Amino acid sequence: MSEADLAEAAAQFDPRRFVELARKVGHGSALEIDYQDSGPDWLELALPWREELVGVPETGVLASGAIVSLIDTASGGSVWMRLGRFVPIVTLDLRLDYMRPALKGETVFARCECVKVTRQVAFVRGVAHGGDPAHPIAQSAATFMVSR
């Protein structure tokens, strides 16, 4: 797909509306993930630090499950951005390589990019950081089954 094709396709999927809806159900409502920005094949979301998301009470470090959910949501959203529409997808594999903990008070940002879509599988890479992408919390690689 050319850049123009990607931009036109992404215009048909509304990531702000998706995040708004996701915040109303299940873990989306518990995490209170925020929309940040998006492009033709990427999506960036934020997870504000909150006490109830802490995994290590002594230090205030966020629970890894909250970060996994943030990255999984941003990764799936990036697939829909690239396709330009909502279609059913399923996470087949999601790998996170943690480089440091998400510290007390730190909002975690996840920016994920769909790098390729085949007939049935989408490939995504991402990074989670606390405001400086050069100082990542985690890097991710994911694959999704795509139903067209």
Side-chain angles (χ1 to χ4, degrees):
M1 272 186 167
S2 71
E3 286 295 317
D5 291 336
L6 284 174
E8 181 180 335
Q12 299 169 15
F13 172 72
D14 185 351
R16 290 177 193 267
R17 180 78 174 128
F18 160 67
V19 172
E20 180 183 308
L21 292 172
R23 286 183 62 141
K24 294 180 180 179
V25 296
H27 72 276
S29 65
L31 294 176
E32 298 180 11
I33 292 171
D34 293 323
Y35 171 84
Q36 294 297 297
D37 201 1
S38 59
D41 56 0
W42 61 271
L43 180 62
E44 183 174 81
L45 302 175
L47 175 65
W49 186 93
R50 292 193 335 275
E51 189 73 39
E52 59 268 24
L53 300 178
V54 168
V56 184
E58 301 79 29
T59 62
V61 168
L62 280 181
S64 61
I67 297 169
V68 170
S69 291
L70 172 70
I71 290 177
D72 188 41
T73 303
S75 294
S78 75
V79 173
W80 294 318
M81 291 300 297
R82 182 166 183 123
L83 295 173
R85 66 189 189 287
F86 178 85
V87 298
I89 61 174
V90 176
T91 307
L92 294 174
D93 185 49
L94 176 60
R95 175 188 169 142
L96 268 71
D97 293 320
Y98 285 94
M99 299 177 180
R100 67 175 186 84
L103 303 174
K104 184 175 185 174
E106 184 174 45
T107 294
V108 179
F109 299 89
R111 181 176 171 139
C112 297
E113 174 189 13
C114 182
V115 295
K116 182 177 177 87
V117 178
T118 67
R119 205 169 57 104
Q120 293 182 316
V121 179
F123 300 86
V124 178
R125 65 178 167 219
V127 64
H129 59 84
D132 179 3
H135 189 57
I137 293 167
Q139 291 183 340
S140 66
T143 54
F144 292 83
M145 182 176 69
V146 178
S147 298
R148 293 186 187 229

